[in-house]
Amino acid sequence: MKNDKNLDVPKIVIVGHVDHGKSSFIGRLLYEIGEIQEEKYRELKKASQKRGDEFEFAFLLDALQDERDQGITIDTTRIFFKTKKRKYVFIDAPGHKEFIRNMITGAASADIAILIVDVKEGIKQQTKKHSYLLKLLGFEKVITLYNKMDKVGYSESKFLNIKFKLETFLSKIGIKSYSSIPISSRKGDNIVTLSKETAWYKGFPFIKVLDEYKIQENEKSEFIRFPVQDIYKMGDKRIIVGRIESGKIKSGTKLIFLPSNESVNVKTLEVWPKAKKEYEVGDCIGITLSDQIFVDKGNMASDIKNPPKLTNRFESRVFWLSKKKIFFNKKYFMKINTGEYEVSINKIKKIIDVESLIEKKKKNVEKNDICEVVIHSSELIPMDDYTFNKSTSRFCLLDEKEIVAGGIVDIGNYPDQREYKDNLKQNIIPENYAVSEIDRSIKYNHRPGIVWLTGLSGAGKSTISKNVEKRLFQKNINVFTLDGDNLRIGLNKNLDFSPEDRTENIRRTAEVANLFTKAGFIVLVSLISPYRSERKKARDIRPEIFREIYIEASLEVCSKRDVKGLYAKAMKGEIKNFTGISSPYEPPEMPNLIINTSKCSIEESVEKLEKFIIKEFSF
């Protein structure tokens, strides 16, 4: 866990619709707590009067002349200040829709989120959009400020009306209001001290709420996350440098580095000017390792107990920032933690209307749209799910050096592709078979083979494989079917349908199929096996005799058939992780054979597969 020292400087982001008073609120707060010198205040007030303008506390924050001319804040401004209890950094994020990219940049690093709304103007589209962005960036609670109470005569009913509407919206996107405070930035009501004008308000002033706000600790903070920022060579030392995002590191700490999957101990801590015995979240450090292993910039070091997943495919909620259209299979540049990767967007699952929170019917993603996508990388990326560690699960996409999207990682539906090292194998020596595979092939007059049928539930895999098995058996071919449901009754009965257990289900099935081939069988495997990566691992066991068959049928067709009644249950939420509904299915990219059961009859499908097998494996 973090100690109090680490919590001394929480980062605060304040968001909301343009002109709802973010900068004015910050300026007033700084003035009220004595962070702005009285002389500076009088100077700006006098300058405003000369220009014929009414003084605004936002002028205290204006760093750019063109900001004052345009009357809007166009960049994130970091303001350091302190109260009697602790220090803070304010990130003033712009509200104008053209500068949402800067808002995301500011909010991504914040610890506390504040949402401000003008009680007179009410909730605007940007209010909702910024709220959704906070959720997208991992915030589950916000401090809500209801500004300009002086313009509505400090009306309790108007405050309660806007409060009800905003909290209703926030609850729909999964955000709770930590504290709702009626304020006036212009008059200073309820910012540092309670106002007599709002005697009906029974809460605390903002500054007290802020000082008592407990930073949400990472529940998994004992797990280490140390993205490698660079490697320095100093004499014989190779010093690995980075910032600790989670956990603690000291001399002797055992780390695993991804994607290489190598584990090693920390030999020394290299911190200037003087090293402590232990470092924790937020500390930037250098380390040397007990053994020389390959470590590169962008790698992730973690504890060995619960490392990040390694995956080349994941889902994400992204905010599209560009006027450019999304092109499938176009190469985008992804930056996550200290790593940089080439990725492509393979699928748009849905586009969300921020105003109504319902799915848009349009198919094209436009600037400032929020959408759910599936992203693919040609290499394995170490990643955390945003529910596990928000600080290491945020990323941005670039197209020709332009930031086109920001998003968060959702890997809940995809398995860990990290290869686990098993030291138990060191003392295991396999026995040679008394009867060779060649001898069996000559006797049965055909080669062994693995015919892997993949497709959605209800596509027809089991029906086709059973009929093909019967036909081949009648032709004296040594054949057997491994059906997914049959395996789950026995061999795989201890596995559920989580991504990790699906992976193990496929692995076990592939190993059993391999044993059958040693006995000379042609093995028909009827298994949904939704992940391309795991089907590839199955193929890699015996690539020379593995054939992938895609039993193709659309989700609509399969759900209409619903032979086992599973789709109906899944749509009611009675079955979790159901492929095609709440869990993804990745069709083969280059299968050896495609059988479309939406167009072919059972008889035609069976005949097609039977001819394929005879051609592939008969002498």
Side-chain angles (χ1 to χ4, degrees):
M1 302 292 287
K2 297 179 183 178
N3 59 28
D4 290 340
K5 177 189 72 64
N6 291 84
L7 301 181
D8 279 346
V9 192
K11 294 183 289 294
I12 309 165
V13 66
I14 179 166
V15 301
H17 184 73
V18 65
D19 290 336
H20 277 202
K22 298 182 300 299
S23 296
S24 294
F25 164 72
I26 297 174
R28 183 77 199 208
L29 173 66
L30 297 178
Y31 174 72
E32 292 284 342
I33 63 176
E35 289 286 305
I36 301 294
Q37 294 179 358
E38 189 68 27
E39 183 181 343
K40 182 68 174 178
Y41 164 69
R42 288 198 298 267
E43 177 188 328
L44 287 171
K45 193 170 184 178
K46 188 176 180 180
S48 296
Q49 289 173 345
K50 283 185 177 180
R51 292 171 56 149
D53 296 331
E54 182 181 354
F55 173 75
E56 294 285 348
F57 279 91
F59 294 161
L60 297 172
L61 304 184
D62 287 334
L64 303 174
Q65 182 63 39
D66 60 351
E67 290 183 30
R68 189 171 298 169
D69 293 341
Q70 294 178 41
I72 58 174
T73 305
I74 64 172
D75 201 352
T76 52
T77 307
R78 292 177 179 265
I79 307 104
F80 294 83
F81 70 99
K82 62 182 177 180
T83 66
K84 292 179 180 179
K85 185 173 181 179
R86 59 185 177 186
K87 299 176 182 178
Y88 298 92
V89 180
F90 244 131
I91 305 169
D92 178 27
H96 194 277
K97 66 180 181 180
E98 292 301 319
F99 310 115
I100 286 179
R101 179 184 293 107
N102 290 5
M103 180 263 169
I104 290 178
T105 304
S109 62
D111 301 303
I112 302 172
I114 297 172
L115 176 63
I116 193 166
V117 62
D118 183 334
V119 289
K120 187 176 182 180
E121 283 197 7
I123 301 167
K124 297 293 185 180
Q125 185 182 20
Q126 285 297 307
T127 310
K128 292 183 176 182
K129 187 159 288 189
H130 283 197
S131 301
Y132 204 105
L133 283 168
L134 290 176
K135 177 62 178 178
L136 186 145
L137 291 167
F139 287 95
E140 296 176 352
K141 59 183 180 180
V142 298
I143 297 173
T144 47
L145 300 180
Y146 296 85
N147 194 21
K148 304 188 183 180
M149 288 297 300
D150 56 306
K151 292 192 174 183
V152 296
Y154 299 97
S155 169
E156 181 183 10
S157 61
K158 289 187 178 180
F159 164 72
L160 292 175
N161 181 46
I162 297 297
K163 178 175 178 289
F164 174 77
K165 290 179 179 178
L166 182 58
E167 289 184 355
T168 299
F169 174 80
L170 291 175
S171 66
K172 288 180 180 179
I173 61 175
I175 292 181
K176 293 181 179 180
S177 179
Y178 177 81
S179 183
S180 301
I181 310 170
I183 67 165
S184 169
S185 297
R186 186 165 174 263
K187 301 289 187 180
D189 298 290
N190 296 328
I191 293 177
V192 172
T193 58
L194 288 176
S195 171
K196 294 179 182 179
E197 301 288 350
T198 55
W200 43 264
Y201 172 62
K202 304 303 179 184
F204 298 108
F206 169 78
I207 201 70
K208 184 173 178 62
V209 171
L210 184 66
D211 278 342
E212 293 185 357
Y213 188 104
K214 293 182 179 179
I215 307 300
Q216 184 66 36
E217 293 291 347
N218 187 348
E219 294 177 358
K220 315 296 190 305
S221 60
E222 69 270 27
F223 300 126
I224 298 169
R225 295 294 183 269
F226 181 63
V228 177
Q229 184 177 338
D230 213 337
I231 291 96
Y232 298 155
K233 292 184 179 180
M234 299 181 67
D236 295 333
K237 287 184 178 180
R238 290 180 71 249
I239 303 173
I240 299 163
V241 299
R243 180 181 186 273
I244 302 175
E245 297 294 340
S246 180
K248 299 178 180 180
I249 295 178
K250 60 183 178 180
S251 179
T253 298
K254 192 166 188 177
L255 299 175
I256 184 169
F257 284 83
L258 296 174
S260 66
N261 204 26
E262 296 286 339
S263 57
V264 65
N265 291 335
V266 174
K267 185 177 180 181
T268 63
L269 295 166
E270 305 288 332
V271 182
W272 300 270
K274 185 178 180 181
K276 297 185 298 184
K277 291 183 177 181
E278 184 176 71
Y279 288 86
E280 53 196 331
V281 179
D283 288 329
C284 297
I285 64 171
I287 60 174
T288 64
L289 305 178
S290 58
D291 297 310
Q292 292 298 323
I293 63 170
F294 178 75
V295 178
D296 201 1
K297 178 182 176 180
N299 288 178
M300 175 71 80
S302 78
D303 60 285
I304 62 172
K305 184 178 180 181
N306 200 346
K309 280 186 177 180
L310 266 183
T311 182
N312 62 0
R313 190 176 297 268
F314 64 97
E315 295 172 347
S316 174
R317 290 200 301 273
V318 301
F319 194 90
W320 194 254
L321 300 166
S322 176
K323 291 182 179 179
K324 297 179 180 179
K325 292 182 179 180
I326 289 180
F327 290 100
F328 295 128
N329 299 320
K330 174 184 174 67
K331 295 298 182 183
Y332 294 97
F333 200 57
M334 174 180 170
K335 289 190 175 183
I336 181 168
N337 300 312
T338 56
E340 300 175 349
Y341 306 90
E342 271 196 349
V343 300
S344 58
I345 297 173
N346 286 174
K347 182 180 180 181
I348 299 172
K349 295 179 65 179
K350 65 171 67 172
I351 304 171
I352 301 165
D353 188 323
V354 179
E355 191 71 29
S356 63
L357 295 182
I358 62 175
E359 184 176 350
K360 289 185 177 181
K361 293 183 179 179
K362 68 176 184 180
K363 295 182 179 179
N364 294 326
V365 176
E366 298 174 354
K367 185 176 180 179
N368 293 339
D369 273 344
I370 292 171
C371 51
E372 295 181 5
V373 297
V374 177
I375 296 177
H376 175 75
S377 167
S378 58
E379 56 185 311
L380 294 174
I381 305 174
M383 287 189 289
D384 285 311
D385 191 270
Y386 80 101
T387 58
F388 178 85
N389 193 328
K390 295 176 179 59
S391 65
T392 58
S393 60
R394 297 164 178 163
F395 68 91
C396 63
L397 296 179
L398 292 87
D399 181 13
E400 297 176 349
K401 297 184 179 181
E402 174 195 353
I403 297 177
V404 294
I408 54 175
V409 172
D410 180 355
I411 49 177
N413 283 326
Y414 287 89
D416 188 358
Q417 296 181 43
R418 185 165 67 96
E419 294 288 349
Y420 291 88
K421 296 184 177 181
D422 189 354
N423 294 327
L424 295 176
K425 293 180 181 178
Q426 293 178 356
N427 299 319
I428 297 175
I429 303 172
E431 291 287 341
N432 293 323
Y433 293 102
V435 181
S436 72
E437 190 176 300
I438 295 175
D439 291 335
R440 295 180 189 274
S441 297
I442 293 171
K443 181 176 182 178
Y444 298 130
N445 204 33
H446 66 78
R447 291 190 302 148
I450 300 174
V451 182
W452 196 282
L453 281 66
T454 178
L456 291 170
S457 176
K461 301 181 298 299
S462 296
T463 302
I464 293 170
S465 61
K466 284 191 297 184
N467 281 278
V468 169
E469 179 185 23
K470 186 175 181 180
R471 286 193 180 194
L472 294 177
F473 180 76
Q474 290 172 347
K475 293 182 178 180
N476 295 321
I477 291 177
N478 207 25
V479 61
F480 188 74
T481 294
L482 292 175
D483 186 82
D485 283 353
N486 292 346
L487 289 166
R488 283 190 175 274
I489 291 172
L491 177 68
N492 297 335
K493 67 181 180 180
N494 65 321
L495 302 177
D496 60 26
F497 292 89
S498 66
E500 290 73 25
D501 278 7
R502 284 183 182 275
T503 298
E504 177 61 13
N505 182 49
I506 295 167
R507 188 196 69 80
R508 291 183 191 179
T509 303
E511 292 293 352
V512 171
N514 181 40
L515 290 174
F516 268 89
T517 63
K518 301 295 185 183
F521 280 82
I522 292 175
V523 189
L524 302 176
V525 177
S526 174
L527 202 66
I528 293 174
S529 44
Y531 308 116
R532 289 181 188 137
S533 60
E534 304 314 306
R535 295 197 299 267
K536 181 182 182 300
K537 289 178 184 177
R539 176 189 290 274
D540 288 345
I541 295 175
R542 295 294 303 274
E544 73 281 6
I545 60 172
F546 187 98
R547 302 293 182 269
E548 186 176 39
I549 315 298
Y550 179 30
I551 308 301
E552 183 181 9
S554 68
L555 181 61
E556 291 73 21
V557 169
C558 292
S559 58
K560 284 179 181 178
R561 290 174 182 168
D562 205 8
V563 181
K564 301 176 182 178
L566 300 178
Y567 282 95
K569 290 182 179 180
M571 290 176 181
K572 291 178 183 177
E574 295 175 11
I575 302 177
K576 295 181 180 180
N577 300 318
F578 189 80
T579 306
I581 302 296
S582 53
S583 189
Y585 176 76
E586 300 174 356
E589 293 181 321
M590 296 181 65
N592 298 102
L593 178 67
I594 299 175
I595 300 176
N596 191 326
T597 59
S598 301
K599 299 177 181 179
C600 298
S601 66
I602 293 297
E603 182 67 26
E604 290 170 333
S605 300
V606 169
E607 187 172 341
K608 194 172 184 179
L609 181 57
E610 179 191 8
K611 287 181 178 179
F612 174 83
I613 291 172
I614 291 173
K615 181 181 177 182
E616 289 291 311
F617 299 106
S618 291
F619 288 146

PDB file of all heavy atoms in Angstrom, residues 39-56 59 68:
ATOM      1  N   GLU A  39      -1.798  41.486  -4.325  1.00  0.00           N
ATOM      2  CA  GLU A  39      -1.300  42.469  -5.282  1.00  0.00           C
ATOM      3  C   GLU A  39      -1.586  42.020  -6.724  1.00  0.00           C
ATOM      4  O   GLU A  39      -1.990  42.824  -7.569  1.00  0.00           O
ATOM      5  CB  GLU A  39       0.206  42.667  -5.072  1.00  0.00           C
ATOM      6  CG  GLU A  39       0.819  43.734  -5.972  1.00  0.00           C
ATOM      7  CD  GLU A  39       2.315  43.889  -5.740  1.00  0.00           C
ATOM      8  OE1 GLU A  39       2.812  43.421  -4.691  1.00  0.00           O
ATOM      9  OE2 GLU A  39       2.983  44.465  -6.608  1.00  0.00           O
ATOM     10  N   LYS A  40      -1.370  40.739  -6.988  1.00  0.00           N
ATOM     11  CA  LYS A  40      -1.629  40.195  -8.330  1.00  0.00           C
ATOM     12  C   LYS A  40      -3.118  40.263  -8.645  1.00  0.00           C
ATOM     13  O   LYS A  40      -3.518  40.606  -9.762  1.00  0.00           O
ATOM     14  CB  LYS A  40      -1.144  38.734  -8.386  1.00  0.00           C
ATOM     15  CG  LYS A  40      -1.310  38.066  -9.740  1.00  0.00           C
ATOM     16  CD  LYS A  40      -0.389  38.669 -10.779  1.00  0.00           C
ATOM     17  CE  LYS A  40      -0.455  37.915 -12.099  1.00  0.00           C
ATOM     18  NZ  LYS A  40       0.403  38.510 -13.135  1.00  0.00           N
ATOM     19  N   TYR A  41      -3.939  39.962  -7.650  1.00  0.00           N
ATOM     20  CA  TYR A  41      -5.390  40.004  -7.831  1.00  0.00           C
ATOM     21  C   TYR A  41      -5.841  41.423  -8.194  1.00  0.00           C
ATOM     22  O   TYR A  41      -6.607  41.636  -9.135  1.00  0.00           O
ATOM     23  CB  TYR A  41      -6.069  39.520  -6.550  1.00  0.00           C
ATOM     24  CG  TYR A  41      -7.537  39.847  -6.444  1.00  0.00           C
ATOM     25  CD1 TYR A  41      -8.473  39.242  -7.273  1.00  0.00           C
ATOM     26  CD2 TYR A  41      -7.987  40.761  -5.499  1.00  0.00           C
ATOM     27  CE1 TYR A  41      -9.817  39.541  -7.170  1.00  0.00           C
ATOM     28  CE2 TYR A  41      -9.326  41.072  -5.382  1.00  0.00           C
ATOM     29  CZ  TYR A  41     -10.242  40.465  -6.220  1.00  0.00           C
ATOM     30  OH  TYR A  41     -11.579  40.744  -6.119  1.00  0.00           O
ATOM     31  N   ARG A  42      -5.352  42.412  -7.438  1.00  0.00           N
ATOM     32  CA  ARG A  42      -5.747  43.802  -7.699  1.00  0.00           C
ATOM     33  C   ARG A  42      -5.246  44.270  -9.069  1.00  0.00           C
ATOM     34  O   ARG A  42      -5.930  45.005  -9.788  1.00  0.00           O
ATOM     35  CB  ARG A  42      -5.203  44.711  -6.599  1.00  0.00           C
ATOM     36  CG  ARG A  42      -5.919  44.551  -5.260  1.00  0.00           C
ATOM     37  CD  ARG A  42      -5.641  45.749  -4.354  1.00  0.00           C
ATOM     38  NE  ARG A  42      -4.229  45.871  -4.049  1.00  0.00           N
ATOM     39  CZ  ARG A  42      -3.655  45.340  -2.970  1.00  0.00           C
ATOM     40  NH1 ARG A  42      -4.387  44.644  -2.099  1.00  0.00           N
ATOM     41  NH2 ARG A  42      -2.363  45.493  -2.756  1.00  0.00           N
ATOM     42  N   GLU A  43      -4.051  43.820  -9.433  1.00  0.00           N
ATOM     43  CA  GLU A  43      -3.467  44.195 -10.731  1.00  0.00           C
ATOM     44  C   GLU A  43      -4.336  43.703 -11.890  1.00  0.00           C
ATOM     45  O   GLU A  43      -4.623  44.446 -12.826  1.00  0.00           O
ATOM     46  CB  GLU A  43      -2.053  43.603 -10.830  1.00  0.00           C
ATOM     47  CG  GLU A  43      -1.355  43.863 -12.148  1.00  0.00           C
ATOM     48  CD  GLU A  43      -0.041  43.090 -12.263  1.00  0.00           C
ATOM     49  OE1 GLU A  43       0.617  42.884 -11.218  1.00  0.00           O
ATOM     50  OE2 GLU A  43       0.293  42.683 -13.389  1.00  0.00           O
ATOM     51  N   LEU A  44      -4.754  42.426 -11.827  1.00  0.00           N
ATOM     52  CA  LEU A  44      -5.585  41.862 -12.891  1.00  0.00           C
ATOM     53  C   LEU A  44      -6.966  42.498 -12.904  1.00  0.00           C
ATOM     54  O   LEU A  44      -7.561  42.713 -13.971  1.00  0.00           O
ATOM     55  CB  LEU A  44      -5.690  40.345 -12.713  1.00  0.00           C
ATOM     56  CG  LEU A  44      -4.432  39.551 -13.054  1.00  0.00           C
ATOM     57  CD1 LEU A  44      -4.595  38.091 -12.624  1.00  0.00           C
ATOM     58  CD2 LEU A  44      -4.132  39.616 -14.544  1.00  0.00           C
ATOM     59  N   LYS A  45      -7.483  42.779 -11.727  1.00  0.00           N
ATOM     60  CA  LYS A  45      -8.804  43.392 -11.644  1.00  0.00           C
ATOM     61  C   LYS A  45      -8.782  44.789 -12.262  1.00  0.00           C
ATOM     62  O   LYS A  45      -9.707  45.177 -13.000  1.00  0.00           O
ATOM     63  CB  LYS A  45      -9.243  43.454 -10.188  1.00  0.00           C
ATOM     64  CG  LYS A  45     -10.723  43.784 -10.019  1.00  0.00           C
ATOM     65  CD  LYS A  45     -11.172  43.599  -8.579  1.00  0.00           C
ATOM     66  CE  LYS A  45     -12.678  43.836  -8.464  1.00  0.00           C
ATOM     67  NZ  LYS A  45     -13.155  43.619  -7.071  1.00  0.00           N
ATOM     68  N   LYS A  46      -7.718  45.513 -11.988  1.00  0.00           N
ATOM     69  CA  LYS A  46      -7.567  46.851 -12.546  1.00  0.00           C
ATOM     70  C   LYS A  46      -7.404  46.792 -14.061  1.00  0.00           C
ATOM     71  O   LYS A  46      -7.981  47.602 -14.799  1.00  0.00           O
ATOM     72  CB  LYS A  46      -6.350  47.528 -11.899  1.00  0.00           C
ATOM     73  CG  LYS A  46      -6.189  48.995 -12.257  1.00  0.00           C
ATOM     74  CD  LYS A  46      -5.013  49.604 -11.490  1.00  0.00           C
ATOM     75  CE  LYS A  46      -4.864  51.076 -11.844  1.00  0.00           C
ATOM     76  NZ  LYS A  46      -3.720  51.688 -11.099  1.00  0.00           N
ATOM     77  N   ALA A  47      -6.629  45.807 -14.545  1.00  0.00           N
ATOM     78  CA  ALA A  47      -6.420  45.654 -15.992  1.00  0.00           C
ATOM     79  C   ALA A  47      -7.729  45.333 -16.697  1.00  0.00           C
ATOM     80  O   ALA A  47      -7.996  45.819 -17.797  1.00  0.00           O
ATOM     81  CB  ALA A  47      -5.389  44.556 -16.248  1.00  0.00           C
ATOM     82  N   SER A  48      -8.556  44.537 -16.063  1.00  0.00           N
ATOM     83  CA  SER A  48      -9.854  44.186 -16.655  1.00  0.00           C
ATOM     84  C   SER A  48     -10.756  45.404 -16.753  1.00  0.00           C
ATOM     85  O   SER A  48     -11.458  45.601 -17.751  1.00  0.00           O
ATOM     86  CB  SER A  48     -10.538  43.104 -15.809  1.00  0.00           C
ATOM     87  OG  SER A  48      -9.789  41.923 -15.813  1.00  0.00           O
ATOM     88  N   GLN A  49     -10.737  46.238 -15.730  1.00  0.00           N
ATOM     89  CA  GLN A  49     -11.563  47.443 -15.733  1.00  0.00           C
ATOM     90  C   GLN A  49     -11.131  48.387 -16.841  1.00  0.00           C
ATOM     91  O   GLN A  49     -11.959  49.021 -17.499  1.00  0.00           O
ATOM     92  CB  GLN A  49     -11.459  48.135 -14.368  1.00  0.00           C
ATOM     93  CG  GLN A  49     -12.161  47.361 -13.252  1.00  0.00           C
ATOM     94  CD  GLN A  49     -11.902  47.966 -11.883  1.00  0.00           C
ATOM     95  OE1 GLN A  49     -10.988  48.791 -11.700  1.00  0.00           O
ATOM     96  NE2 GLN A  49     -12.702  47.555 -10.896  1.00  0.00           N
ATOM     97  N   LYS A  50      -9.805  48.482 -17.074  1.00  0.00           N
ATOM     98  CA  LYS A  50      -9.295  49.332 -18.153  1.00  0.00           C
ATOM     99  C   LYS A  50      -9.760  48.839 -19.511  1.00  0.00           C
ATOM    100  O   LYS A  50     -10.025  49.624 -20.418  1.00  0.00           O
ATOM    101  CB  LYS A  50      -7.764  49.369 -18.110  1.00  0.00           C
ATOM    102  CG  LYS A  50      -7.199  50.279 -17.025  1.00  0.00           C
ATOM    103  CD  LYS A  50      -5.679  50.359 -17.140  1.00  0.00           C
ATOM    104  CE  LYS A  50      -5.133  51.331 -16.105  1.00  0.00           C
ATOM    105  NZ  LYS A  50      -3.641  51.433 -16.204  1.00  0.00           N
ATOM    106  N   ARG A  51      -9.857  47.536 -19.650  1.00  0.00           N
ATOM    107  CA  ARG A  51     -10.304  46.949 -20.925  1.00  0.00           C
ATOM    108  C   ARG A  51     -11.817  46.977 -21.054  1.00  0.00           C
ATOM    109  O   ARG A  51     -12.362  46.607 -22.085  1.00  0.00           O
ATOM    110  CB  ARG A  51      -9.822  45.492 -21.020  1.00  0.00           C
ATOM    111  CG  ARG A  51      -8.313  45.363 -21.154  1.00  0.00           C
ATOM    112  CD  ARG A  51      -7.866  43.924 -21.025  1.00  0.00           C
ATOM    113  NE  ARG A  51      -8.542  43.052 -21.986  1.00  0.00           N
ATOM    114  CZ  ARG A  51      -7.991  41.968 -22.520  1.00  0.00           C
ATOM    115  NH1 ARG A  51      -6.757  41.654 -22.192  1.00  0.00           N
ATOM    116  NH2 ARG A  51      -8.659  41.222 -23.356  1.00  0.00           N
ATOM    117  N   GLY A  52     -12.490  47.361 -20.005  1.00  0.00           N
ATOM    118  CA  GLY A  52     -13.940  47.405 -20.031  1.00  0.00           C
ATOM    119  C   GLY A  52     -14.569  46.046 -19.812  1.00  0.00           C
ATOM    120  O   GLY A  52     -15.751  45.846 -20.146  1.00  0.00           O
ATOM    121  N   ASP A  53     -13.785  45.100 -19.279  1.00  0.00           N
ATOM    122  CA  ASP A  53     -14.284  43.752 -19.022  1.00  0.00           C
ATOM    123  C   ASP A  53     -14.596  43.581 -17.541  1.00  0.00           C
ATOM    124  O   ASP A  53     -13.964  44.191 -16.676  1.00  0.00           O
ATOM    125  CB  ASP A  53     -13.241  42.691 -19.425  1.00  0.00           C
ATOM    126  CG  ASP A  53     -12.949  42.705 -20.914  1.00  0.00           C
ATOM    127  OD1 ASP A  53     -13.863  43.083 -21.679  1.00  0.00           O
ATOM    128  OD2 ASP A  53     -11.823  42.341 -21.283  1.00  0.00           O
ATOM    129  N   GLU A  54     -15.565  42.722 -17.277  1.00  0.00           N
ATOM    130  CA  GLU A  54     -15.818  42.343 -15.889  1.00  0.00           C
ATOM    131  C   GLU A  54     -14.743  41.357 -15.465  1.00  0.00           C
ATOM    132  O   GLU A  54     -14.429  40.417 -16.199  1.00  0.00           O
ATOM    133  CB  GLU A  54     -17.205  41.712 -15.757  1.00  0.00           C
ATOM    134  CG  GLU A  54     -17.552  41.338 -14.321  1.00  0.00           C
ATOM    135  CD  GLU A  54     -18.929  40.688 -14.201  1.00  0.00           C
ATOM    136  OE1 GLU A  54     -19.647  40.633 -15.221  1.00  0.00           O
ATOM    137  OE2 GLU A  54     -19.270  40.227 -13.088  1.00  0.00           O
ATOM    138  N   PHE A  55     -14.178  41.565 -14.304  1.00  0.00           N
ATOM    139  CA  PHE A  55     -13.107  40.680 -13.853  1.00  0.00           C
ATOM    140  C   PHE A  55     -13.626  39.254 -13.639  1.00  0.00           C
ATOM    141  O   PHE A  55     -14.695  39.044 -13.070  1.00  0.00           O
ATOM    142  CB  PHE A  55     -12.506  41.193 -12.541  1.00  0.00           C
ATOM    143  CG  PHE A  55     -11.505  40.238 -11.935  1.00  0.00           C
ATOM    144  CD1 PHE A  55     -10.233  40.103 -12.473  1.00  0.00           C
ATOM    145  CD2 PHE A  55     -11.860  39.438 -10.854  1.00  0.00           C
ATOM    146  CE1 PHE A  55      -9.318  39.224 -11.934  1.00  0.00           C
ATOM    147  CE2 PHE A  55     -10.960  38.549 -10.307  1.00  0.00           C
ATOM    148  CZ  PHE A  55      -9.677  38.438 -10.842  1.00  0.00           C
ATOM    149  N   GLU A  56     -12.854  38.288 -14.136  1.00  0.00           N
ATOM    150  CA  GLU A  56     -13.162  36.868 -13.933  1.00  0.00           C
ATOM    151  C   GLU A  56     -11.965  36.224 -13.258  1.00  0.00           C
ATOM    152  O   GLU A  56     -10.812  36.497 -13.623  1.00  0.00           O
ATOM    153  CB  GLU A  56     -13.434  36.159 -15.273  1.00  0.00           C
ATOM    154  CG  GLU A  56     -14.679  36.637 -15.990  1.00  0.00           C
ATOM    155  CD  GLU A  56     -15.955  36.116 -15.366  1.00  0.00           C
ATOM    156  OE1 GLU A  56     -15.849  35.206 -14.516  1.00  0.00           O
ATOM    157  OE2 GLU A  56     -17.038  36.612 -15.713  1.00  0.00           O
ATOM    158  N   PHE A  59      -9.063  34.677 -15.193  1.00  0.00           N
ATOM    159  CA  PHE A  59      -7.925  35.423 -15.717  1.00  0.00           C
ATOM    160  C   PHE A  59      -6.642  35.086 -14.963  1.00  0.00           C
ATOM    161  O   PHE A  59      -5.544  35.240 -15.482  1.00  0.00           O
ATOM    162  CB  PHE A  59      -8.187  36.928 -15.627  1.00  0.00           C
ATOM    163  CG  PHE A  59      -9.311  37.406 -16.522  1.00  0.00           C
ATOM    164  CD1 PHE A  59      -9.931  38.630 -16.278  1.00  0.00           C
ATOM    165  CD2 PHE A  59      -9.747  36.631 -17.582  1.00  0.00           C
ATOM    166  CE1 PHE A  59     -10.960  39.070 -17.089  1.00  0.00           C
ATOM    167  CE2 PHE A  59     -10.775  37.068 -18.394  1.00  0.00           C
ATOM    168  CZ  PHE A  59     -11.393  38.288 -18.147  1.00  0.00           C
ATOM    169  N   ARG A  68      -7.245  34.369 -23.768  1.00  0.00           N
ATOM    170  CA  ARG A  68      -8.081  35.445 -23.249  1.00  0.00           C
ATOM    171  C   ARG A  68      -8.884  36.068 -24.381  1.00  0.00           C
ATOM    172  O   ARG A  68     -10.045  36.439 -24.211  1.00  0.00           O
ATOM    173  CB  ARG A  68      -7.200  36.501 -22.580  1.00  0.00           C
ATOM    174  CG  ARG A  68      -7.990  37.552 -21.819  1.00  0.00           C
ATOM    175  CD  ARG A  68      -7.064  38.434 -21.005  1.00  0.00           C
ATOM    176  NE  ARG A  68      -6.347  37.653 -20.011  1.00  0.00           N
ATOM    177  CZ  ARG A  68      -5.330  38.124 -19.299  1.00  0.00           C
ATOM    178  NH1 ARG A  68      -4.919  39.361 -19.470  1.00  0.00           N
ATOM    179  NH2 ARG A  68      -4.720  37.359 -18.418  1.00  0.00           N
TER     180      ARG A  68
END
